[in-house]
Amino acid sequence: MDTFLVSRSYLETLSTADLITLADEYGIEIPPNLNRRFIIAELLEAVEDIDEGRRDDLLDDKHNFKYYDELPKSYNETHIGALMRNPVWAFVYWDIRTTDLQEITQTKSFLGLVLRVSLFSEGQDNPSDSFEVSVSLDNREQYILLPAHESLFRIDLIAEFSAMEPRVLAYTKKMPIPHGHPEISSTSLENKFSPILELSGLPELLRTHYNNHRQSFL
Amino acid sequence: MSKKSLVLHMTLHQGYFRHLEGKHKAKNEILFSSISQVYLPLLNMFANLESDGIPFKIGLTISPTLCALLSDPVIQQSYIEWLDSLIILGEAEVKRYSQGSEQYSLAKTYLKNCKRDKRDFVETFNQDILSKFDYYAKRGSVELFATCATNCFLPHYIDMNESICAQVETGLQSHKTFFDVVPEGFWLPDLGYTKGIETILRSYGINYSILDTHGILFSTPLPQNGIFTPVRTANSFAFFARDSETPADITGPLGYMWNPSYRNQDRDIGFDSDMELLSGFLGESRSRVSTGFKYWARSEDQKNNALYNFDKAKECVQQDAKSFLDKKSEKLTKASRMIEAEELSLVCAMDASILGQVWYEGIDWLESLFRQAADREDIIIEHCTDLAKSQFTLQKVEPFHSAASGTGYGEDLLDSSNDWMMKYIRKSTERMIDLAERFSDDTGLKARALNLAAKEILLAQSSDWASMTHQRMYPEYASERFSQSVNAFATVFESLGSNSISTEWLTNMEREHTLFPWINYRVFSRKK
């Protein structure tokens, strides 16, 4: 593999088995039970050594130069990303490396893919709640409604099997769910706010917010 | 008694459309009509007020992509050529109508305006209108805000701090290049805010920004003075709330712009006339575009058959400016009876294209606003900087995730029409951050290629493409431009892997996208 493609973020998407295979390609001996964090560090160090030897400038070579004029259908990486569309809807997108997809779909007991949404309270490592959304093999994106009362969320892309444990293919960072003032809720539609907030337009904004974002009031 | 201030802020932005030839050349018209209908009239208004000794204060954000275009000699020359073709069209229009008719009189006025625009641009401003904005900034009449490099909707990148830093740092560098200062205020594109952005802005020495109304009104704790005083975040970054009524005052269903005496901006000979008449103006593309020759007024009966009358419109402008000032003064007076604060303010922020393009008489209205405000004692027009002096005594709040588009959260920038862009731009951004780390000390051809890569990432991050796709405004063009930037980045990325590149291609790309010639790809580096 080209060292250029080996970055920390890329390595973190690989399974431990793939990391060991890659280390083997680079001639790195991995002692049994070595933590994946150390394998990644070893790989990055090896890549850095190779890059050091490549410090020369680029060659001007228009004959072998490849210009990309079409967006790739896939980056052939197992990866998941998420971002907020508004305070309660997250947009989730993912990709699965061809070899990973082949491996899981060729497993006889493969049931399907799910997105597991884990919800966290502030400062907690363990999820306070979670739910799953089934996704088809062809699907690569999904909008997901998040409960407004939770603080953080993480989404795992999981392959489920009938005869073995589910396999987490990729996961997002823990991301914050935006929070407004607690009084900005369905009950507050009936509330009386201070005259200055009323003059500022809060009641009208709340009505608009309720019409457009009913889910925020659940 | 509290001091009651009005802050007026306008955003001047244009996506980076720079096409000197080919099928997209007509897209330049978007910029050219903005120069003629908004930027030159604004500068002429400033000059009129200055020569009459009328004090005025206005906040402006001039986006880096617009600065790059306005300072580009090739674009400047194209604008002059566009004006020349408009003058030829105007002469044909004057000939088309018989002397003495109302259309003849309107055509003559429009022709005169085109000639005046050319004279102003070439002789008065020496093709350099940015310097004139800078002149008014240095006089203290204009407060310039900085903004992101390419109108990037920052909440979409909140998990990629390096990317937000790159947008902010490049935006500030652009501001410094064109206006020679690092400003205190920063305009968030589409007013996109989510928690954490203020930390990055503060780290660059910026002191304040403006949020959409609900960003402040839904904050925790609730703002005790509503939208009438700025608030500050935990790191003492100040936020002003935009007055939610101002856009509706102008463009809402009962807004000023719908007055039947005002010009109908939808009827233009560029769309209504025979192709034969327009052929000299439209050039090879023959795509119909707006010409500015608009003869009809908005009519109450929607029949659109009343001819536009400049004098009638002028009378309405005076009345509407008075009505606006009365309304804001009344709101501030009511607020002053409810709360005790030394200074109360209302921030009226709008896109400059609303004044001049969407509402033809908008700049005249603004001028009238300044003239009338100068004679009033109940209201004073101020800059944000005047009102942020007691920044460290403001109420501390945690503002709410908010934006000025969509239904208040920028949903139009992420929906089924444009969400396909996300995986490409976020993957490319991740890779750019890695590249900046890996090639931190490189020079020569590698650094040149990396600088191009950084520029293309910034361009691809512009929300203009998502917004145009959502609004179905040249959606194919927006997709093409987005893909072009992502592909250019991918080309550099793979070239760095194979250790070779075509300098011919690199040079062509640098010539095509001439913005940010000073860019340093290390703006994407992880901050240690």
Side-chain angles (χ1 to χ4, degrees):
Chain A
M1 165 172 252
D2 199 317
T3 62
F4 183 68
L5 296 170
V6 183
S7 64
R8 181 177 292 280
S9 56
Y10 169 70
L11 292 175
E12 279 168 357
T13 67
L14 298 184
S15 66
T16 306
D18 286 341
L19 285 173
I20 293 169
T21 310
L22 194 58
D24 197 40
E25 279 178 31
Y26 280 100
I28 305 167
E29 279 197 31
I30 301 293
N33 303 324
L34 187 60
N35 182 304
R36 60 181 277 121
R37 212 151 39 86
F38 289 102
I39 306 177
I40 289 172
E42 288 287 328
L43 274 164
L44 288 173
E45 202 173 305
V47 167
E48 202 173 308
D49 288 346
I50 295 168
D51 280 349
E52 278 299 317
R54 270 196 186 174
R55 283 295 180 207
D56 295 336
D57 208 351
L58 296 175
L59 295 173
D60 182 10
D61 181 1
K62 75 173 173 187
H63 301 294
N64 293 315
F65 169 71
K66 189 180 172 199
Y67 167 63
Y68 289 79
D69 57 1
E70 215 172 290
L71 295 175
K73 281 212 166 72
S74 157
Y75 284 102
N76 201 25
E77 285 180 359
T78 303
H79 172 82
I80 186 166
L83 58 150
M84 298 305 295
R85 179 169 191 260
N86 63 32
V88 286
W89 284 96
F91 173 65
V92 190
Y93 62 97
W94 63 93
D95 200 0
I96 306 175
R97 198 179 321 126
T98 316
T99 50
D100 285 348
L101 193 60
Q102 275 170 356
E103 191 189 322
I104 57 170
T105 52
Q106 283 167 8
T107 303
K108 276 189 182 167
S109 63
F110 174 63
L111 294 173
L113 296 174
V114 294
L115 298 174
R116 179 183 296 151
V117 183
S118 302
L119 302 157
F120 300 84
S121 302
E122 195 70 57
Q124 299 297 311
D125 288 335
N126 294 321
S128 53
D129 197 2
S130 68
F131 62 93
E132 290 181 353
V133 179
S134 295
V135 291
S136 75
L137 279 175
D138 302 330
N139 201 0
R140 289 292 179 271
E141 60 194 39
Q142 179 83 36
Y143 288 93
I144 293 180
L145 178 66
L146 300 168
H149 58 275
E150 293 289 356
S151 294
L152 300 151
F153 73 99
R154 191 192 68 214
I155 301 182
D156 302 346
L157 174 64
I158 294 173
E160 291 197 314
F161 304 91
S162 59
M164 54 195 268
E165 288 292 304
R167 181 174 151 195
V168 177
L169 302 174
Y171 53 88
T172 66
K173 291 177 187 172
K174 263 195 215 170
M175 298 177 69
I177 301 173
H179 282 275
H181 191 275
E183 281 190 43
I184 311 302
S185 65
S186 57
T187 52
S188 63
L189 284 175
E190 307 301 325
N191 279 358
K192 269 284 189 198
F193 290 101
S194 68
I196 197 72
L197 290 177
E198 298 214 352
L199 183 65
S200 297
L202 184 56
E204 182 54 35
L205 272 173
L206 271 179
R207 265 191 292 279
T208 314
H209 189 70
Y210 183 70
N211 287 338
N212 293 321
H213 301 281
R214 293 169 306 284
Q215 299 92 346
S216 308
F217 295 85
L218 296 175
Chain B
M1 190 70 176
S2 313
K3 179 181 159 196
K4 291 173 294 213
S5 307
L6 199 61
V7 174
L8 299 169
H9 190 97
M10 288 171 64
T11 314
L12 285 63
H13 168 64
Q14 161 76 50
Y16 195 70
F17 309 161
R18 182 181 185 272
H19 301 286
L20 309 177
E21 51 197 24
K23 61 178 178 175
H24 294 312
K25 198 178 173 195
K27 307 288 184 304
N28 293 337
E29 184 270 336
I30 298 171
L31 171 67
F32 298 159
S33 56
S34 297
I35 299 175
S36 287
Q37 293 168 26
V38 186
Y39 312 149
L40 294 180
L42 254 183
L43 288 172
N44 286 329
M45 177 191 85
F46 294 164
N48 292 341
L49 293 170
E50 187 184 30
S51 68
D52 291 347
I54 307 285
F56 65 97
K57 285 188 172 183
I58 188 167
L60 295 180
T61 302
I62 311 178
S63 74
T65 46
L66 176 60
C67 288
L69 290 167
L70 291 176
S71 62
D72 186 330
V74 180
I75 290 291
Q76 291 166 357
Q77 188 53 40
S78 297
Y79 174 60
I80 295 169
E81 287 163 14
W82 181 80
L83 281 175
D84 284 337
S85 62
L86 210 51
I87 288 168
I88 293 170
L89 180 71
E91 282 163 349
E93 277 297 279
V94 170
K95 272 189 197 160
R96 191 156 74 105
Y97 295 108
S98 54
Q99 279 194 26
S101 72
E102 286 178 89
Q103 279 106 325
Y104 175 82
S105 162
L106 281 167
K108 272 200 94 169
T109 306
Y110 292 144
L111 174 61
K112 201 173 98 190
N113 291 350
C114 293
K115 288 179 176 171
R116 185 202 56 205
D117 287 345
K118 186 177 173 188
R119 194 179 57 244
D120 286 347
F121 187 72
V122 177
E123 294 168 22
T124 313
F125 303 126
N126 201 21
Q127 303 185 35
D128 179 11
I129 62 176
L130 288 176
S131 291
K132 204 64 190 170
F133 282 115
D134 190 32
Y135 163 79
Y136 288 109
K138 293 204 163 57
R139 279 189 81 251
S141 302
V142 167
E143 180 185 6
L144 289 170
F145 274 39
T147 188
C148 289
T150 59
N151 209 49
C152 173
F153 188 69
L154 298 181
H156 287 170
Y157 300 90
I158 195 61
D159 56 333
M160 296 177 175
N161 273 359
E162 299 82 4
S163 177
I164 297 184
C165 288
Q167 279 285 350
V168 171
E169 197 170 321
T170 310
L172 289 175
Q173 181 65 47
S174 167
H175 196 93
K176 181 94 169 56
T177 303
F178 290 107
F179 305 113
D180 205 27
V181 288
V182 175
E184 286 192 274
F186 193 92
W187 179 262
L188 296 169
D190 299 296
L191 294 186
Y193 169 78
T194 198
K195 190 180 170 185
I197 287 174
E198 71 280 10
T199 311
I200 295 172
L201 294 177
R202 197 82 169 119
S203 71
Y204 282 97
I206 297 159
N207 280 333
Y208 48 83
S209 187
I210 298 170
L211 292 186
D212 208 358
T213 325
H214 58 298
I216 301 294
L217 287 183
F218 293 179
S219 63
T220 309
L222 292 171
Q224 61 201 18
N225 294 339
I227 60 169
F228 297 96
T229 59
V231 291
R232 63 176 165 146
T233 54
N235 64 348
S236 286
F237 187 88
F239 277 117
F240 291 83
R242 181 169 84 144
D243 173 39
S244 62
E245 288 177 357
T246 296
D249 290 336
I250 297 171
T251 57
L254 300 172
Y256 301 130
M257 63 173 268
W258 299 111
N259 187 316
S261 294
Y262 290 149
R263 195 171 84 164
N264 185 338
Q265 291 295 82
D266 299 326
R267 290 195 63 187
D268 185 295
I269 62 161
F271 304 119
D272 293 346
S273 290
D274 290 342
M275 204 47 133
E276 202 183 324
L277 180 82
L278 302 167
S279 57
F281 177 70
L282 298 179
E284 288 166 25
S285 75
R286 295 178 71 80
S287 301
R288 286 182 178 270
V289 293
S290 167
T291 63
F293 283 81
K294 301 172 204 275
Y295 296 105
W296 306 97
R298 298 185 190 280
S299 57
E300 276 171 297
D301 58 6
Q302 301 301 315
K303 284 182 186 159
N304 298 326
N305 55 6
L307 277 165
Y308 180 62
N309 182 309
F310 276 98
D311 294 332
K312 263 173 133 181
K314 263 183 193 155
E315 279 174 31
C316 295
V317 158
Q318 306 295 325
Q319 291 159 13
D320 287 341
K322 181 176 184 308
S323 149
F324 185 82
L325 287 172
D326 287 346
K327 194 174 171 187
K328 300 304 164 194
S329 171
E330 190 187 336
K331 195 167 173 176
L332 283 162
T333 304
K334 274 187 190 166
S336 70
R337 291 186 195 122
M338 293 171 185
I339 49 173
E340 282 192 21
E342 273 182 38
E343 284 190 319
L344 296 176
S345 58
L346 266 181
V347 177
C348 307
M350 63 200 101
D351 193 304
S353 66
I354 288 174
L355 304 186
Q357 285 189 299
V358 178
W359 179 21
Y360 178 62
E361 296 78 7
I363 303 287
D364 291 337
W365 169 81
L366 193 60
E367 181 170 344
S368 181
L369 214 63
F370 285 121
R371 289 183 184 277
Q372 293 187 36
D375 289 336
R376 294 174 69 137
E377 290 182 353
D378 57 339
I379 199 162
I380 182 165
I381 298 181
E382 290 283 26
H383 286 320
C384 283
T385 187
D386 302 320
L387 303 166
K389 291 209 164 89
S390 51
Q391 184 170 349
F392 295 96
T393 60
L394 298 172
Q395 183 193 2
K396 272 192 182 176
V397 303
E398 197 174 284
F400 190 50
H401 180 92
S402 52
S405 69
T407 62
Y409 302 103
E411 293 98 326
D412 54 323
L413 306 175
L414 183 61
D415 66 11
S416 57
S417 73
N418 51 34
D419 57 17
W420 60 271
M421 295 176 177
M422 270 303 147
K423 77 171 177 187
Y424 294 110
I425 186 53
R426 284 173 57 90
K427 173 58 75 202
S428 303
T429 303
E430 273 173 26
R431 286 181 164 176
M432 186 66 230
I433 295 166
D434 279 341
L435 290 182
E437 194 76 7
R438 176 166 300 178
F439 296 99
S440 57
D441 300 324
D442 283 84
T443 55
L445 200 48
K446 248 181 207 173
R448 239 181 94 188
L450 284 158
N451 285 338
L452 176 74
K455 196 191 298 191
E456 295 299 328
I457 289 291
L458 293 172
L459 280 172
Q461 286 178 342
S462 164
S463 67
D464 295 324
W465 316 127
S467 173
M468 288 167 75
T469 308
H470 171 85
Q471 292 177 40
R472 303 194 187 287
M473 178 193 172
Y474 303 125
E476 293 84 8
Y477 171 72
S479 300
E480 189 183 318
R481 285 294 312 280
F482 172 81
S483 304
Q484 184 195 27
S485 286
V486 172
N487 285 329
F489 169 79
T491 301
V492 172
F493 183 77
E494 296 298 335
S495 296
L496 289 164
S498 65
N499 230 29
S500 67
I501 197 165
S502 159
T503 49
E504 186 184 336
W505 172 82
L506 186 58
T507 306
N508 284 339
M509 285 304 297
E510 287 167 341
R511 280 187 188 152
E512 195 172 337
H513 294 163
T514 56
L515 78 172
F516 314 146
W518 33 258
I519 198 169
N520 185 332
Y521 65 91
R522 295 171 190 87
V523 290
F524 279 94
S525 298
R526 292 192 176 92
K527 304 291 178 278
K528 301 201 165 77

